Amino acid sequence: MKLYFSTWLQNLGIACSIASLFTLFFRITDFAWVTKSVYYIPVFFVILFLLSLVIAEDVRKVFKKMFWYEKRKEKRPIWQVGIGFIFFLSQIGVIMVFSTGLTHLTLGGMPLFFVIAFMNAFMMTVIYEEIFHRKERVNNVSQ
């Protein structure tokens, strides 16, 4: 059950990233009319999110193959980076699509939402590891 929920959470993050980044790309081009909103939710985002849910599993598997995940002896570092990147991109995409007013705040010249998204992604990766990979880590330490 944990593995299924973990995979579902990863796929949800990937779908959110894909939908929000494509919505953002269309919003800053001449095709901005595609991203019309209903109650401040872009319809294009919702459609892309649903389509992205269908392909998210395949995208995740492609990245696993691309980085030779199954062939690695020590898999922990690569999935931590992957999960952190999914969390980071999801947060950045959601801010860029739904709260563009927050993109103007800076911290020493760097956009504040990048800093906060990075810190959140780090904390979420630690929490994710504690929830889904605790037994795996305990078994490796005892061996």
Side-chain angles (χ1 to χ4, degrees):
M1 182 66 178
K2 269 185 165 180
L3 182 63
Y4 174 74
F5 187 68
S6 170
T7 304
W8 180 79
L9 189 63
Q10 291 173 32
N11 290 345
L12 196 63
I14 290 169
C16 181
S17 299
I18 291 171
S20 59
L21 291 175
F22 271 105
T23 303
L24 174 66
F25 292 146
F26 273 92
R27 185 175 282 167
I28 61 176
T29 64
D30 293 335
F31 297 102
W33 56 271
V34 174
T35 61
K36 293 295 180 194
S37 298
V38 176
Y39 298 112
Y40 302 105
I41 299 174
V43 176
F44 189 66
F45 173 84
V46 174
I47 293 168
L48 278 179
F49 181 74
L50 295 174
L51 291 174
S52 297
L53 278 175
V54 174
I55 65 165
E57 180 73 22
D58 294 329
V59 169
R60 198 172 57 79
K61 287 180 181 178
V62 164
F63 275 99
K64 281 177 122 177
K65 286 181 183 179
M66 191 168 71
F67 292 114
W68 297 313
Y69 180 75
E70 298 302 328
K71 295 179 182 178
R72 293 176 180 264
K73 289 181 182 178
E74 182 62 37
K75 296 178 181 176
R76 185 170 175 234
I78 195 73
W79 74 252
Q80 284 179 330
V81 170
I83 295 299
F85 193 62
I86 290 170
F87 289 146
F88 181 72
L89 276 183
S90 299
Q91 292 176 71
I92 296 262
V94 167
I95 292 294
M96 297 288 277
V97 171
F98 294 105
S99 301
T100 54
L102 295 176
T103 61
H104 303 294
L105 304 172
T106 60
L107 179 67
M110 179 167 224
L112 189 59
F113 75 102
F114 278 155
V115 175
I116 293 172
F118 183 78
M119 290 187 308
N120 284 342
F122 176 75
M123 291 305 298
M124 290 168 72
T125 303
V126 171
I127 292 167
Y128 182 89
E129 180 177 2
E130 287 297 319
I131 292 172
F132 296 110
H133 294 282
R134 183 175 180 88
K135 184 179 178 184
E136 211 175 87
R137 193 181 69 225
V138 170
N139 286 341
N140 287 341
V141 170
S142 65
Q143 290 177 353

